[in-house]
């Protein structure tokens, strides 16, 4: 019974993304992606459960645009990024890049694709080798993948550095000689040197001062315009995400609860969790009275999430159905997806009501 219900729900959740991988306007399509980490018993090392870091996520990113990904710490944002890049294997689901399923590629095919998909890490201090000069850090992977002929290599690295606001004489210096903002420019140049189509930005400005954050964000936007880049921008800072993103996905405890174009999401959030997040955005006006939505309790454990909607334990609009049945991730208006029982159609609400009654009966007999 449970497998049938899961299959039906997967069909509903992926309905707005079916066939998107064949549409050339989308560079990246993620459908029903899951990544679970096993929990081992301390003595016999038997798997006793799973941490559901990413639990049935679907989204798509158009070429040359930026998708922002927001949510509380521990909700699975970085795990999504690393799974998309196949830095770790998936548990289930599909990831299509340029129409190809990344997880069906052989090692040789994946190696050939690697330059096209790059990552900028959160910490510019630990992500650069202290033993290599800047020129070698930026050019090492480009040389390995044969991006340019050897005789053009030095000029190519110089052009990449200048595009990222780095003077040529930085080539022979080492990372410890630079500030955080300069180091992040080096990280961006290292990714750009491979001539990628897609760059995953994993909280690239969270370790920087606010004034430097603005410079890095503007640099990323300029590079996107000049090189036709596509970004997945992971961040806690909603103001930064609003500034740089074309679309935004909101995550909670391993699930995508809302996905929409940036202007629609910020002007008309549908999910109660999104409303609570946006109510916490600071407004630089001492006379402005904020209508803060305070969430009750703390975020549940991803190893033992609550049944039904994972947000129901903290939701001020919680209904009986929310406690038993997981909501569908539906397209409520063009390009605006939301997973909440508040927006069920009457027909779907009746189906889920029956499912809830069956679950209650099974719970009573257990």
């Amino acid at each position: 019974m449970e497998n049938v219900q899961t299959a039906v729900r997967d069909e509903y959740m992926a309905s707005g993304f079916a066939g998107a991988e064949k549409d050339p306007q989308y560079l990246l399509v993620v459908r029903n992606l899951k990544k679970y980490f096993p929990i081992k018993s301390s003595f016999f090392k038997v798997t006793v459960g799973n941490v559901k870091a990413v639990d049935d996520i679907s989204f798509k990113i158009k070429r040359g645009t930026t998708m922002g990904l927001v949510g509380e710490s521990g909700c699975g944002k970085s795990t999504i990024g690393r799974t998309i890049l196949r830095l770790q294997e998936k548990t289930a689901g599909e990831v299509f890049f340029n129409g190809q399923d990344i997880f069906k590629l052989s090692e040789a095919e994946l190696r050939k694709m690697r330059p096209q998909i790059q990552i900028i890490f959160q910490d510019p201090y630990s992500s650069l080798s202290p033993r290599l000069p800047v020129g070698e850090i930026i050019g090492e992977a480009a040389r390995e993948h044969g991006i340019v002929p050897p005789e053009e290599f030095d000029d190519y690295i110089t052009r990449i550095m200048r595009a990222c606001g780095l003077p040529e004489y930085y080539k022979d210096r080492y990372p410890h000689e630079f500030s955080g903002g300069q180091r992040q420019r080096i990280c961006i140049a290292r990714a750009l040197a491979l001539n990628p189509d897609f760059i995953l930005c994993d909280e690239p400005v969270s370790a920087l001062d606010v004034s430097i954050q603005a410079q890095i964000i503007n640099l990323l936007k300029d590079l996107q315009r000049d090189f036709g880049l596509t970004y997945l921008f992971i961040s806690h800072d909603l103001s930064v995400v609003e500034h740089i993103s074309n679309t935004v996905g909101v995550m909670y405890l391993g699930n995508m609860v809302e996905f929409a174009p940036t202007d629609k999401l910020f002007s008309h959030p549908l999910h109660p969790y999104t409303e609570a997040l946006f109510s916490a955005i600071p407004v630089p006006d001492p006379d402005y009275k904020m209508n803060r939505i305070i969430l009750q309790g703390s975020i549940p454990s991803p190893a033992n999430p609550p049944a039904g909607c994972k947000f129901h334990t903290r939701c001020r609009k919680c209904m009986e159905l929310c406690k038993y049945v997981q909501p569908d991730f539906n397209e409520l208006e063009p390009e605006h997806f939301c997973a909440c029982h508040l927006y069920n159609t009457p027909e779907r609400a009746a189906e889920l009501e029956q499912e809830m009654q069956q679950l209650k009966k099974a719970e009573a007999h257990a």
Side-chain angles (χ1 to χ4, degrees), residues 108-349:
E109 291 170 328
L110 184 62
R111 177 180 168 77
K112 192 174 179 181
M113 181 184 280
R114 281 285 179 214
Q116 301 173 47
I117 49 176
Q118 290 298 300
I119 183 170
I120 300 168
F121 293 100
Q122 177 178 359
D123 186 0
Y125 293 90
S126 61
S127 59
L128 298 175
S129 171
R131 297 179 178 85
L132 295 178
V134 166
E136 186 61 26
I137 288 172
I138 295 171
E140 185 180 25
R143 182 188 294 114
E144 180 70 21
H145 285 279
I147 300 299
V148 292
E151 63 272 14
E152 299 176 18
F153 181 77
D154 197 56
D155 290 339
Y156 177 72
I157 297 305
T158 300
R159 290 200 305 272
I160 293 296
M161 289 179 66
R162 284 176 177 164
C164 297
L166 299 167
E168 183 180 1
Y169 63 84
Y170 281 2
K171 277 184 184 177
D172 298 323
R173 295 188 177 182
Y174 287 82
H176 71 270
E177 301 179 56
F178 296 97
S179 66
Q182 290 170 320
R183 290 187 193 205
Q184 199 60 289
R185 288 177 183 268
I186 295 168
C187 293
I188 293 170
R190 177 176 60 183
L192 190 64
L194 285 157
N195 193 24
D197 293 323
F198 173 77
I199 298 181
L200 169 67
C201 305
D202 189 1
E203 303 199 40
V205 297
S206 62
L208 308 176
D209 293 340
V210 174
S211 59
I212 306 302
Q213 285 184 14
Q215 294 177 22
I216 297 299
I217 292 300
N218 290 334
L219 172 62
L220 289 171
K221 293 183 75 172
D222 291 343
L223 293 175
Q224 183 175 52
R225 181 194 64 225
D226 296 341
F227 293 90
L229 300 171
T230 303
Y231 295 139
L232 175 59
F233 193 91
I234 296 171
S235 179
H236 284 94
D237 193 328
L238 293 166
S239 303
V240 170
V241 167
E242 184 178 15
H243 180 66
I244 195 173
S245 302
N246 301 101
T247 57
V248 179
V250 181
M251 281 190 68
Y252 181 80
L253 205 63
N255 288 121
M256 185 83 76
V257 296
E258 193 163 357
F259 175 82
T262 306
D263 53 349
K264 280 189 180 180
L265 193 74
F266 278 81
S267 63
H268 185 219
L270 297 177
H271 197 280
Y273 178 63
T274 311
E275 292 176 350
L277 271 187
F278 288 179
S279 76
I281 300 175
V283 177
D285 181 355
D287 298 322
Y288 181 80
K289 300 298 181 184
M290 295 184 65
N291 183 23
R292 289 289 304 273
I293 300 172
I294 307 298
L295 296 178
Q296 302 300 314
S298 57
I299 189 168
S301 167
N304 187 27
C309 174
K310 293 179 182 178
F311 185 59
H312 84 259
T313 57
R314 306 173 72 191
C315 182
R316 59 199 175 96
K317 300 179 181 179
C318 177
M319 303 178 289
E320 186 71 9
L321 182 63
C322 303
K323 300 176 183 179
Y324 291 90
V325 183
Q326 184 182 353
D328 304 322
F329 191 57
N330 286 329
E331 189 172 14
L332 302 179
E333 54 188 49
E335 295 293 312
H336 196 156
F337 296 81
C338 182
C340 184
H341 288 306
L342 291 171
Y343 308 103
N344 288 335
T345 62
E347 297 80 9
R348 186 59 178 157

Side-chain angles (χ1 to χ4, degrees), residues 60-72:
K60 50 193 176 184
I61 308 178
K62 290 183 178 179
R63 295 176 188 276
T65 66
T66 301
M67 174 185 160
L69 193 60
V70 300
E72 291 173 285

